[in-house]
Every structure is written in C-alpha cells, then in structure tokens.
Short mmCIF file of all heavy atoms in Angstrom, two decimals:
data_model
loop_
_atom_site.label_atom_id
_atom_site.label_comp_id
_atom_site.label_asym_id
_atom_site.label_seq_id
_atom_site.Cartn_x
_atom_site.Cartn_y
_atom_site.Cartn_z
N MET S 9 2.74 4.50 -8.96
CA MET S 9 3.82 5.21 -9.71
C MET S 9 4.45 6.29 -9.05
O MET S 9 3.70 7.17 -8.49
CB MET S 9 3.04 5.63 -11.12
CG MET S 9 3.95 6.35 -11.86
SD MET S 9 3.08 6.79 -13.41
CE MET S 9 4.22 7.97 -14.14
N PRO S 10 5.71 6.30 -8.92
CA PRO S 10 6.42 7.42 -8.08
C PRO S 10 6.32 8.65 -8.83
O PRO S 10 6.27 8.68 -10.15
CB PRO S 10 7.88 6.79 -7.96
CG PRO S 10 7.98 5.81 -9.00
CD PRO S 10 6.61 5.27 -9.32
N SER S 11 6.16 9.63 -8.06
CA SER S 11 6.10 11.00 -8.61
C SER S 11 7.48 11.47 -9.17
O SER S 11 8.51 11.10 -8.54
CB SER S 11 5.52 12.04 -7.71
OG SER S 11 6.35 12.24 -6.60
N GLU S 12 7.46 12.29 -10.26
CA GLU S 12 8.69 12.77 -10.76
C GLU S 12 9.06 14.14 -10.08
O GLU S 12 8.13 14.89 -9.88
CB GLU S 12 8.54 13.04 -12.30
CG GLU S 12 8.49 11.61 -13.01
CD GLU S 12 8.49 12.03 -14.56
OE1 GLU S 12 9.63 12.08 -15.08
OE2 GLU S 12 7.41 12.15 -15.04
N SER S 13 10.41 14.29 -9.84
CA SER S 13 10.73 15.73 -9.26
C SER S 13 11.17 16.58 -10.50
O SER S 13 11.45 15.96 -11.60
CB SER S 13 11.85 15.49 -8.32
OG SER S 13 13.15 15.17 -8.89
N ALA S 14 11.37 17.81 -10.28
CA ALA S 14 11.85 18.65 -11.31
C ALA S 14 13.22 18.17 -11.90
O ALA S 14 13.51 18.46 -13.05
CB ALA S 14 11.88 20.07 -10.83
N TYR S 15 13.97 17.51 -11.10
CA TYR S 15 15.31 17.09 -11.35
C TYR S 15 15.30 15.86 -12.34
O TYR S 15 16.17 15.55 -13.10
CB TYR S 15 16.16 16.64 -10.27
CG TYR S 15 16.46 17.87 -9.30
CD1 TYR S 15 15.84 17.95 -8.04
CD2 TYR S 15 17.26 18.91 -9.74
CE1 TYR S 15 16.04 19.09 -7.28
CE2 TYR S 15 17.50 20.07 -8.90
CZ TYR S 15 16.94 20.03 -7.74
OH TYR S 15 17.10 21.15 -6.88
N ASP S 16 14.13 15.15 -12.45
CA ASP S 16 13.97 13.98 -13.25
C ASP S 16 13.35 14.33 -14.61
O ASP S 16 13.34 13.49 -15.58
CB ASP S 16 13.01 12.95 -12.62
CG ASP S 16 13.64 12.47 -11.32
OD1 ASP S 16 14.78 12.33 -11.24
OD2 ASP S 16 12.78 12.07 -10.31
N LEU S 17 12.86 15.46 -14.76
CA LEU S 17 12.12 15.95 -15.97
C LEU S 17 13.21 16.20 -17.07
O LEU S 17 14.27 16.82 -16.79
CB LEU S 17 11.18 17.12 -15.83
CG LEU S 17 10.09 16.80 -14.80
CD1 LEU S 17 9.24 18.05 -14.54
CD2 LEU S 17 9.23 15.73 -15.28
N PRO S 18 12.87 16.03 -18.35
CA PRO S 18 13.86 16.45 -19.45
C PRO S 18 14.09 17.99 -19.52
O PRO S 18 13.07 18.68 -19.25
CB PRO S 18 13.29 15.86 -20.72
CG PRO S 18 11.82 15.47 -20.40
CD PRO S 18 11.69 15.36 -18.93
N MET S 19 15.19 18.34 -19.74
CA MET S 19 15.46 19.76 -19.88
C MET S 19 15.12 20.34 -21.30
O MET S 19 15.19 19.53 -22.20
CB MET S 19 17.05 20.08 -19.76
CG MET S 19 17.49 19.75 -18.27
SD MET S 19 16.84 20.83 -17.01
CE MET S 19 17.72 22.26 -17.41
N ALA S 20 14.66 21.52 -21.37
CA ALA S 20 14.24 22.10 -22.61
C ALA S 20 15.47 22.89 -23.27
O ALA S 20 15.20 23.78 -24.05
CB ALA S 20 13.12 23.14 -22.37
N THR S 21 16.60 22.42 -22.96
CA THR S 21 17.82 23.11 -23.47
C THR S 21 18.99 22.12 -23.62
O THR S 21 18.86 20.98 -23.03
CB THR S 21 18.25 24.18 -22.55
OG1 THR S 21 19.51 24.88 -23.04
CG2 THR S 21 18.66 23.72 -21.14
N ASP S 22 19.87 22.35 -24.42
CA ASP S 22 20.95 21.57 -24.57
C ASP S 22 22.27 22.06 -23.85
O ASP S 22 23.37 21.65 -24.07
CB ASP S 22 21.39 21.35 -26.19
CG ASP S 22 21.72 22.59 -26.79
OD1 ASP S 22 21.53 23.72 -26.34
OD2 ASP S 22 22.15 22.52 -28.08
N LYS S 23 22.01 23.10 -23.10
CA LYS S 23 23.09 23.74 -22.36
C LYS S 23 23.56 22.84 -21.13
O LYS S 23 22.79 22.01 -20.69
CB LYS S 23 22.64 25.02 -21.71
CG LYS S 23 22.48 26.15 -22.92
CD LYS S 23 22.17 27.45 -22.17
CE LYS S 23 21.91 28.47 -23.31
NZ LYS S 23 21.67 29.74 -22.65
N ALA S 24 24.85 22.97 -20.83
CA ALA S 24 25.40 22.16 -19.69
C ALA S 24 24.78 22.68 -18.41
O ALA S 24 24.47 23.82 -18.28
CB ALA S 24 26.93 22.34 -19.68
N LYS S 25 24.60 21.79 -17.47
CA LYS S 25 24.08 21.99 -16.12
C LYS S 25 25.26 22.33 -15.18
O LYS S 25 26.20 21.49 -15.16
CB LYS S 25 23.12 20.97 -15.77
CG LYS S 25 22.41 21.12 -14.49
CD LYS S 25 21.61 19.84 -14.25
CE LYS S 25 20.96 19.88 -12.78
NZ LYS S 25 20.08 18.78 -12.63
N LEU S 26 25.21 23.29 -14.20
CA LEU S 26 26.15 23.61 -13.29
C LEU S 26 25.46 23.75 -11.97
O LEU S 26 24.46 24.47 -11.79
CB LEU S 26 26.85 24.81 -13.65
CG LEU S 26 27.88 25.33 -12.67
CD1 LEU S 26 29.04 24.51 -12.57
CD2 LEU S 26 28.34 26.82 -13.18
N MET S 27 26.02 23.00 -10.92
CA MET S 27 25.41 23.16 -9.52
C MET S 27 26.37 24.04 -8.77
O MET S 27 27.68 23.82 -8.81
CB MET S 27 25.15 21.92 -8.85
CG MET S 27 24.57 22.05 -7.51
SD MET S 27 24.34 20.50 -6.65
CE MET S 27 22.75 20.24 -7.27
N VAL S 28 26.00 24.98 -7.97
CA VAL S 28 26.82 25.83 -7.24
C VAL S 28 26.36 25.86 -5.72
O VAL S 28 25.16 25.99 -5.52
CB VAL S 28 26.74 27.34 -7.79
CG1 VAL S 28 27.58 28.21 -6.97
CG2 VAL S 28 27.28 27.31 -9.26
N TYR S 29 27.28 25.88 -4.81
CA TYR S 29 26.92 26.01 -3.39
C TYR S 29 27.47 27.37 -3.01
O TYR S 29 28.64 27.68 -3.33
CB TYR S 29 27.74 24.83 -2.54
CG TYR S 29 27.09 23.52 -2.82
CD1 TYR S 29 27.53 22.68 -3.68
CD2 TYR S 29 25.87 23.08 -2.10
CE1 TYR S 29 27.16 21.35 -3.93
CE2 TYR S 29 25.29 21.90 -2.28
CZ TYR S 29 25.80 21.00 -3.25
OH TYR S 29 25.43 19.73 -3.39
N MET S 30 26.71 28.19 -2.29
CA MET S 30 27.22 29.40 -1.80
C MET S 30 26.48 29.73 -0.48
O MET S 30 25.39 29.19 -0.16
CB MET S 30 26.97 30.50 -2.72
CG MET S 30 25.48 30.91 -3.11
SD MET S 30 25.38 32.21 -4.22
CE MET S 30 25.86 31.52 -5.77
N ASP S 31 26.99 30.70 0.24
CA ASP S 31 26.32 31.13 1.48
C ASP S 31 25.11 31.86 1.15
O ASP S 31 25.10 32.64 0.18
CB ASP S 31 27.34 32.01 2.27
CG ASP S 31 28.45 31.29 2.85
OD1 ASP S 31 28.38 30.09 3.15
OD2 ASP S 31 29.56 31.82 2.99
N GLN S 32 23.98 31.63 2.04
CA GLN S 32 22.74 32.28 1.79
C GLN S 32 22.87 33.75 1.43
O GLN S 32 22.10 34.30 0.58
CB GLN S 32 21.84 32.04 3.03
CG GLN S 32 20.38 32.34 2.76
CD GLN S 32 19.71 31.53 1.77
OE1 GLN S 32 20.13 30.39 1.49
NE2 GLN S 32 18.83 32.24 0.94
N PRO S 33 23.64 34.61 2.24
CA PRO S 33 23.56 36.08 1.91
C PRO S 33 23.89 36.41 0.41
O PRO S 33 23.43 37.27 -0.19
CB PRO S 33 24.53 36.65 2.93
CG PRO S 33 24.62 35.67 3.99
CD PRO S 33 24.36 34.36 3.43
N TYR S 34 24.90 35.55 -0.05
CA TYR S 34 25.26 35.75 -1.47
C TYR S 34 24.16 35.38 -2.36
O TYR S 34 23.99 36.03 -3.52
CB TYR S 34 26.59 35.08 -1.69
CG TYR S 34 27.77 35.63 -1.00
CD1 TYR S 34 28.33 34.90 0.00
CD2 TYR S 34 28.20 37.02 -1.30
CE1 TYR S 34 29.38 35.57 0.72
CE2 TYR S 34 29.31 37.52 -0.63
CZ TYR S 34 29.90 36.85 0.33
OH TYR S 34 30.91 37.34 0.99
N LYS S 35 23.55 34.36 -2.13
CA LYS S 35 22.38 33.87 -2.97
C LYS S 35 21.29 34.87 -2.95
O LYS S 35 20.76 35.25 -3.96
CB LYS S 35 21.76 32.47 -2.45
CG LYS S 35 20.61 32.05 -3.34
CD LYS S 35 20.06 30.70 -2.81
CE LYS S 35 18.90 30.30 -3.79
NZ LYS S 35 17.80 29.81 -3.03
N GLU S 36 21.01 35.43 -1.90
CA GLU S 36 20.05 36.54 -1.77
C GLU S 36 20.42 37.81 -2.57
O GLU S 36 19.68 38.39 -3.24
CB GLU S 36 19.74 36.86 -0.43
CG GLU S 36 19.08 35.82 0.41
CD GLU S 36 19.02 35.97 1.91
OE1 GLU S 36 19.42 37.06 2.47
OE2 GLU S 36 18.52 35.06 2.63
N GLY S 37 21.70 38.13 -2.45
CA GLY S 37 22.33 39.30 -3.20
C GLY S 37 22.21 38.94 -4.69
O GLY S 37 21.74 39.74 -5.48
N LEU S 38 22.51 37.71 -5.11
CA LEU S 38 22.43 37.32 -6.58
C LEU S 38 20.99 37.44 -6.94
O LEU S 38 20.79 37.95 -8.21
CB LEU S 38 22.98 35.86 -6.63
CG LEU S 38 22.71 35.22 -8.11
CD1 LEU S 38 23.67 36.04 -9.02
CD2 LEU S 38 23.21 33.81 -8.05
N ALA S 39 20.03 37.04 -6.20
CA ALA S 39 18.58 37.08 -6.56
C ALA S 39 18.24 38.56 -6.83
O ALA S 39 17.48 38.85 -7.78
CB ALA S 39 17.74 36.54 -5.55
N LYS S 40 18.73 39.40 -5.94
CA LYS S 40 18.38 40.83 -6.09
C LYS S 40 18.98 41.46 -7.40
O LYS S 40 18.37 42.21 -8.11
CB LYS S 40 18.83 41.67 -4.83
CG LYS S 40 18.02 41.40 -3.60
CD LYS S 40 18.50 42.05 -2.44
CE LYS S 40 17.69 41.80 -1.26
NZ LYS S 40 18.26 42.43 -0.05
N LEU S 41 20.21 41.17 -7.58
CA LEU S 41 20.85 41.64 -8.81
C LEU S 41 20.27 41.08 -10.06
O LEU S 41 20.07 41.82 -11.09
CB LEU S 41 22.42 41.13 -8.81
CG LEU S 41 23.35 41.89 -7.94
CD1 LEU S 41 24.74 41.07 -7.81
CD2 LEU S 41 23.53 43.29 -8.45
N ALA S 42 19.76 39.78 -10.17
CA ALA S 42 19.19 39.34 -11.31
C ALA S 42 17.84 40.01 -11.49
O ALA S 42 17.49 40.42 -12.58
CB ALA S 42 19.05 37.74 -11.18
N ALA S 43 17.11 40.13 -10.43
CA ALA S 43 15.82 40.71 -10.48
C ALA S 43 15.89 42.18 -11.02
O ALA S 43 15.14 42.69 -11.83
CB ALA S 43 15.02 40.73 -9.15
N ALA S 44 16.90 42.95 -10.54
CA ALA S 44 17.19 44.33 -11.01
C ALA S 44 17.37 44.45 -12.42
O ALA S 44 17.09 45.48 -13.07
CB ALA S 44 18.37 44.91 -10.17
N GLN S 45 17.93 43.30 -13.06
CA GLN S 45 18.16 43.30 -14.54
C GLN S 45 17.13 42.45 -15.25
O GLN S 45 17.28 42.21 -16.44
CB GLN S 45 19.56 42.82 -14.78
CG GLN S 45 20.62 43.63 -14.22
CD GLN S 45 22.01 43.23 -14.87
OE1 GLN S 45 22.09 42.61 -15.80
NE2 GLN S 45 23.00 43.77 -14.18
N ASN S 46 16.00 42.15 -14.51
CA ASN S 46 14.91 41.46 -15.09
C ASN S 46 15.41 40.10 -15.75
O ASN S 46 15.02 39.84 -16.90
CB ASN S 46 14.13 42.29 -16.24
CG ASN S 46 12.74 41.78 -16.43
OD1 ASN S 46 12.10 41.09 -15.56
ND2 ASN S 46 12.21 41.87 -17.58
N ARG S 47 16.27 39.42 -15.02
CA ARG S 47 16.82 38.04 -15.48
C ARG S 47 16.54 37.04 -14.43
O ARG S 47 16.32 37.41 -13.28
CB ARG S 47 18.29 38.23 -15.69
CG ARG S 47 18.77 39.16 -16.84
CD ARG S 47 20.35 39.16 -16.76
NE ARG S 47 20.81 40.11 -17.71
CZ ARG S 47 21.33 39.66 -18.89
NH1 ARG S 47 21.25 38.49 -19.21
NH2 ARG S 47 21.71 40.55 -19.72
N SER S 48 16.56 35.80 -14.80
CA SER S 48 16.52 34.75 -13.86
C SER S 48 17.90 34.73 -13.26
O SER S 48 18.93 35.23 -13.78
CB SER S 48 16.19 33.39 -14.57
OG SER S 48 17.22 32.95 -15.40
N MET S 49 18.06 34.00 -12.10
CA MET S 49 19.37 33.91 -11.49
C MET S 49 20.16 33.07 -12.47
O MET S 49 21.40 33.33 -12.58
CB MET S 49 19.32 33.25 -10.11
CG MET S 49 18.65 34.14 -9.10
SD MET S 49 19.04 33.69 -7.40
CE MET S 49 18.56 32.01 -7.23
N SER S 50 19.73 31.95 -13.00
CA SER S 50 20.45 31.14 -13.90
C SER S 50 21.02 31.92 -15.00
O SER S 50 22.20 31.78 -15.42
CB SER S 50 19.60 29.99 -14.52
OG SER S 50 20.29 29.18 -15.31
N ASN S 51 20.18 32.70 -15.72
CA ASN S 51 20.65 33.60 -16.82
C ASN S 51 21.58 34.51 -16.44
O ASN S 51 22.50 34.81 -17.10
CB ASN S 51 19.34 34.21 -17.54
CG ASN S 51 19.82 35.14 -18.69
OD1 ASN S 51 19.96 36.29 -18.46
ND2 ASN S 51 19.97 34.50 -19.79
N TYR S 52 21.47 35.14 -15.31
CA TYR S 52 22.38 36.15 -14.66
C TYR S 52 23.75 35.51 -14.55
O TYR S 52 24.80 36.08 -14.82
CB TYR S 52 21.82 36.86 -13.50
CG TYR S 52 22.71 38.04 -13.01
CD1 TYR S 52 22.62 39.23 -13.77
CD2 TYR S 52 23.39 37.88 -11.86
CE1 TYR S 52 23.48 40.29 -13.31
CE2 TYR S 52 24.22 38.94 -11.46
CZ TYR S 52 24.28 40.12 -12.20
OH TYR S 52 24.94 41.25 -11.81
N VAL S 53 23.76 34.39 -13.87
CA VAL S 53 25.01 33.63 -13.47
C VAL S 53 25.72 33.26 -14.83
O VAL S 53 26.95 33.42 -15.07
CB VAL S 53 24.80 32.43 -12.72
CG1 VAL S 53 26.01 31.56 -12.63
CG2 VAL S 53 24.33 32.94 -11.24
N GLU S 54 24.91 32.78 -15.90
CA GLU S 54 25.50 32.48 -17.20
C GLU S 54 26.12 33.67 -17.88
O GLU S 54 27.26 33.55 -18.38
CB GLU S 54 24.38 31.92 -18.14
CG GLU S 54 25.00 31.51 -19.48
CD GLU S 54 23.78 31.05 -20.47
OE1 GLU S 54 22.71 31.43 -20.25
OE2 GLU S 54 24.21 30.53 -21.42
N THR S 55 25.50 34.77 -17.74
CA THR S 55 26.13 36.01 -18.25
C THR S 55 27.36 36.44 -17.54
O THR S 55 28.37 36.87 -18.22
CB THR S 55 25.01 37.15 -18.22
OG1 THR S 55 23.82 36.87 -18.99
CG2 THR S 55 25.54 38.49 -18.71
N LEU S 56 27.30 36.40 -16.34
CA LEU S 56 28.64 36.71 -15.66
C LEU S 56 29.76 35.75 -16.00
O LEU S 56 30.94 36.12 -16.12
CB LEU S 56 28.37 36.53 -14.05
CG LEU S 56 27.47 37.63 -13.42
CD1 LEU S 56 27.22 37.33 -11.99
CD2 LEU S 56 28.09 39.06 -13.50
N ILE S 57 29.44 34.45 -16.10
CA ILE S 57 30.50 33.44 -16.52
C ILE S 57 30.91 33.66 -17.88
O ILE S 57 32.20 33.79 -18.24
CB ILE S 57 29.98 32.11 -16.33
CG1 ILE S 57 29.79 31.73 -14.93
CG2 ILE S 57 30.96 30.98 -16.95
CD1 ILE S 57 28.97 30.43 -14.60
N ILE S 58 30.07 34.01 -18.84
CA ILE S 58 30.42 34.34 -20.23
C ILE S 58 31.31 35.55 -20.25
O ILE S 58 32.37 35.52 -20.85
CB ILE S 58 29.23 34.58 -21.17
CG1 ILE S 58 28.48 33.25 -21.32
CG2 ILE S 58 29.67 35.13 -22.38
CD1 ILE S 58 27.16 33.34 -21.96
N GLU S 59 31.12 36.54 -19.58
CA GLU S 59 31.86 37.81 -19.58
C GLU S 59 33.22 37.52 -18.95
O GLU S 59 34.22 38.00 -19.45
CB GLU S 59 31.17 38.90 -18.64
CG GLU S 59 29.92 39.47 -19.42
CD GLU S 59 29.07 40.35 -18.51
OE1 GLU S 59 29.48 40.60 -17.31
OE2 GLU S 59 28.17 41.03 -19.01
N ALA S 60 33.24 36.72 -17.87
CA ALA S 60 34.58 36.40 -17.16
C ALA S 60 35.47 35.67 -18.17
O ALA S 60 36.65 35.89 -18.28
CB ALA S 60 34.35 35.62 -15.94
N VAL S 61 34.91 34.57 -18.86
CA VAL S 61 35.70 33.72 -19.70
C VAL S 61 36.10 34.48 -20.85
O VAL S 61 37.31 34.41 -21.29
CB VAL S 61 34.88 32.43 -20.23
CG1 VAL S 61 35.52 31.81 -21.30
CG2 VAL S 61 34.65 31.44 -18.95
N GLU S 62 35.22 35.36 -21.49
CA GLU S 62 35.63 36.14 -22.69
C GLU S 62 36.72 37.00 -22.31
O GLU S 62 37.58 37.35 -23.06
CB GLU S 62 34.53 36.73 -23.22
CG GLU S 62 33.58 35.78 -23.96
CD GLU S 62 32.30 36.37 -24.71
OE1 GLU S 62 31.99 37.61 -24.37
OE2 GLU S 62 31.59 35.70 -25.37
N ALA S 63 36.60 37.66 -21.12
CA ALA S 63 37.70 38.62 -20.60
C ALA S 63 39.06 37.92 -20.47
O ALA S 63 40.07 38.48 -20.81
CB ALA S 63 37.25 39.37 -19.33
N ALA S 64 38.99 36.67 -19.92
CA ALA S 64 40.28 35.90 -19.78
C ALA S 64 40.82 35.45 -21.11
O ALA S 64 42.09 35.45 -21.22
CB ALA S 64 39.88 34.74 -18.97
N ILE S 65 40.04 35.22 -22.05
CA ILE S 65 40.44 34.94 -23.45
C ILE S 65 41.09 36.21 -24.07
O ILE S 65 42.25 36.05 -24.56
CB ILE S 65 39.36 34.33 -24.26
CG1 ILE S 65 38.92 33.04 -23.82
CG2 ILE S 65 39.73 34.33 -25.82
CD1 ILE S 65 37.55 32.54 -24.49
N ALA S 66 40.36 37.28 -23.99
CA ALA S 66 40.96 38.47 -24.47
C ALA S 66 42.23 38.95 -23.90
O ALA S 66 43.18 39.42 -24.52
CB ALA S 66 39.89 39.70 -24.26
N SER S 67 42.43 38.68 -22.61
CA SER S 67 43.65 39.03 -21.95
C SER S 67 44.80 38.00 -22.03
O SER S 67 45.87 38.29 -21.68
CB SER S 67 43.43 39.34 -20.36
OG SER S 67 43.24 37.98 -19.77
N GLY S 68 44.45 36.81 -22.67
CA GLY S 68 45.55 35.86 -22.87
C GLY S 68 45.64 34.87 -21.60
O GLY S 68 46.45 34.02 -21.69
N GLU S 69 44.80 35.14 -20.65
CA GLU S 69 44.90 34.31 -19.50
C GLU S 69 44.60 32.84 -19.77
O GLU S 69 45.17 31.94 -19.20
CB GLU S 69 43.91 34.76 -18.39
CG GLU S 69 44.03 34.09 -17.04
CD GLU S 69 43.16 34.75 -15.99
OE1 GLU S 69 42.58 35.79 -16.28
OE2 GLU S 69 43.12 34.15 -14.91
N ILE S 70 43.66 32.58 -20.61
CA ILE S 70 43.20 31.37 -21.07
C ILE S 70 43.02 31.31 -22.58
O ILE S 70 42.96 32.49 -23.16
CB ILE S 70 42.00 30.64 -20.43
CG1 ILE S 70 40.75 31.61 -20.76
CG2 ILE S 70 42.12 30.65 -18.89
CD1 ILE S 70 39.41 30.94 -20.33
N SER S 71 43.04 30.18 -23.21
CA SER S 71 42.68 30.07 -24.65
C SER S 71 41.72 28.99 -24.87
O SER S 71 41.58 28.08 -24.14
CB SER S 71 43.95 29.86 -25.46
OG SER S 71 44.60 28.57 -25.17
N LEU S 72 41.07 29.00 -25.99
CA LEU S 72 40.24 27.97 -26.47
C LEU S 72 40.70 27.30 -27.66
O LEU S 72 41.32 27.88 -28.46
CB LEU S 72 38.81 28.52 -26.75
CG LEU S 72 38.04 29.18 -25.62
CD1 LEU S 72 36.71 29.72 -26.13
CD2 LEU S 72 37.75 28.03 -24.48
N THR S 73 40.48 25.95 -27.78
CA THR S 73 40.96 25.30 -28.94
C THR S 73 39.89 25.54 -30.05
O THR S 73 38.77 26.13 -29.82
CB THR S 73 41.00 23.73 -28.73
OG1 THR S 73 39.71 23.35 -28.50
CG2 THR S 73 41.83 23.42 -27.52
N ALA S 74 40.34 25.22 -31.30
CA ALA S 74 39.36 25.41 -32.44
C ALA S 74 38.02 24.67 -32.20
O ALA S 74 37.00 25.15 -32.49
CB ALA S 74 40.07 25.13 -33.66
N GLU S 75 38.13 23.55 -31.67
CA GLU S 75 37.00 22.74 -31.42
C GLU S 75 36.14 23.38 -30.35
O GLU S 75 34.84 23.43 -30.53
CB GLU S 75 37.38 21.35 -30.91
CG GLU S 75 36.33 20.40 -30.64
CD GLU S 75 36.71 19.02 -30.21
OE1 GLU S 75 37.11 18.32 -31.00
OE2 GLU S 75 36.53 18.69 -28.92
N GLU S 76 36.64 23.99 -29.39
CA GLU S 76 35.92 24.63 -28.24
C GLU S 76 35.23 25.92 -28.79
O GLU S 76 34.05 26.23 -28.55
CB GLU S 76 36.73 25.06 -27.14
CG GLU S 76 37.27 23.78 -26.31
CD GLU S 76 38.31 24.15 -25.26
OE1 GLU S 76 39.22 25.06 -25.55
OE2 GLU S 76 38.31 23.55 -24.16
N VAL S 77 35.93 26.61 -29.67
CA VAL S 77 35.32 27.82 -30.32
C VAL S 77 34.14 27.46 -31.17
O VAL S 77 33.13 28.14 -31.21
CB VAL S 77 36.46 28.55 -31.22
CG1 VAL S 77 35.86 29.59 -31.98
CG2 VAL S 77 37.40 29.08 -30.28
N ASP S 78 34.13 26.34 -31.95
CA ASP S 78 33.09 25.84 -32.74
C ASP S 78 31.89 25.64 -31.92
O ASP S 78 30.75 25.67 -32.40
CB ASP S 78 33.54 24.53 -33.53
CG ASP S 78 34.50 24.95 -34.65
OD1 ASP S 78 34.50 26.16 -35.11
OD2 ASP S 78 35.12 24.04 -35.06
N LYS S 79 32.02 25.05 -30.70
CA LYS S 79 30.98 24.71 -29.85
C LYS S 79 30.24 25.95 -29.27
O LYS S 79 29.13 25.82 -28.76
CB LYS S 79 31.33 23.89 -28.65
CG LYS S 79 31.81 22.42 -29.13
CD LYS S 79 32.20 21.69 -27.92
CE LYS S 79 32.83 20.34 -28.45
NZ LYS S 79 33.07 19.47 -27.18
N LYS S 80 30.88 27.13 -29.31
CA LYS S 80 30.28 28.39 -28.69
C LYS S 80 29.05 28.82 -29.26
O LYS S 80 28.69 28.60 -30.44
CB LYS S 80 31.25 29.55 -28.73
CG LYS S 80 32.25 29.61 -27.69
CD LYS S 80 33.27 30.65 -27.73
CE LYS S 80 32.66 31.99 -27.74
NZ LYS S 80 33.63 33.04 -27.83
#
C-alpha cells in the first residue's frame, strides 16, 4: 500500500487553498513576522490578504457581488 503524503490527506477546513512561490529571503522574513505575532505563516498570509482586499473594497478599487459577500 503506497504511503499518503500530507497533500493527499483531507483538509480540516473548507477554506480555499492557495500556493505561492517566493524567494527564500522573503519566506524567511514572513516566518519571522508570523512568529512575532504568534501566528502560523498560513494564518498570517490570510490576514494580510483579507486586509488588502477589504482596503481595496473600501477605497472602491474593487467591488464584490452580493453572492461573493454572502460567502464571506
């Protein structure tokens, strides 16, 4: 029986998955920032994205449909 990798296991969340490629120094900086706020890197990146999207909505740069707002 082949062994399962972490990528094959079911997720304990219904959140969307995002893969990001970045240069190693930025990944290390991200890890330090997340640790300084006692967060995982995933949670820290999610927080940064939420803040950026909400700021763009507030400024009128982007908008969400009623259906997208219901999914939030």
Side-chain angles (χ1 to χ4, degrees):
M9 177 173 164
S11 64
E12 292 184 88
S13 76
Y15 297 108
D16 298 328
L17 299 174
M19 297 291 290
T21 181
D22 59 350
K23 292 183 178 183
K25 183 176 171 182
L26 174 69
M27 180 181 270
V28 176
Y29 292 94
M30 68 177 68
D31 292 328
Q32 189 64 31
Y34 292 109
K35 182 182 177 216
E36 292 167 6
L38 176 65
K40 289 177 182 179
L41 285 168
Q45 294 193 17
N46 198 30
R47 297 175 180 260
S48 67
M49 286 198 309
S50 180
N51 178 263
Y52 188 69
V53 169
E54 179 184 18
T55 300
L56 292 173
I57 292 169
I58 289 168
E59 290 172 354
V61 170
E62 288 180 351
I65 292 167
S67 73
E69 184 176 353
I70 64 171
S71 62
L72 294 179
T73 65
E75 182 178 289
E76 292 168 323
V77 170
D78 288 341
K79 290 181 182 179
K80 277 177 57 175

